[in-house]
């Protein structure tokens, strides 16, 4: 797959938005291509292919620089 590598960060809901400890599944998964980000459940992330993730980023991702 072409493009920049995807950055995957597993996050906790409590405390909200903190990174999950190493090796933990987390409650929320943030996927970013460096310009946009989407938030998925761990199950949604596990079931998605890289192509599907990139499509979702393009279609519904939020830019990091928008207010």
């Amino acid at each position: 797959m072409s493009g920049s590598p995807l950055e995957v960060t597993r996050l906790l809901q409590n405390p909200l938005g903190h990174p999950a400890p190493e090796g933990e599944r987390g409650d929320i998964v943030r996927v970013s291509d460096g310009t946009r980000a989407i938030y998925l459940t761990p199950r949604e992330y596990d079931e998605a292919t890289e192509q599907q993730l990139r499509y979702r980023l393009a279609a519904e991702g939020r830019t990091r620089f928008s207010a």
Side-chain angles (χ1 to χ4, degrees):
M1 178 68 41
S2 62
S4 61
L6 295 178
E7 178 184 322
V8 177
T9 307
R10 293 181 179 271
L11 303 170
L12 299 173
Q13 286 186 328
N14 190 16
L16 185 60
H18 284 244
E22 188 70 33
E24 292 293 320
R25 206 168 143 78
D27 301 309
I28 304 166
V29 180
R30 179 179 59 217
V31 180
S32 173
D33 63 1
T35 59
R36 294 176 300 268
I38 55 173
Y39 295 84
L40 308 169
T41 66
R43 183 176 180 171
E44 288 173 320
Y45 174 74
D46 291 343
E47 293 175 352
T49 65
E50 182 176 347
Q51 183 177 7
Q52 290 169 327
L53 293 172
R54 289 186 182 278
Y55 176 82
R56 287 185 70 171
L57 277 165
E60 57 189 80
R62 299 178 185 185
T63 62
R64 287 188 172 191
F65 305 108
S66 66

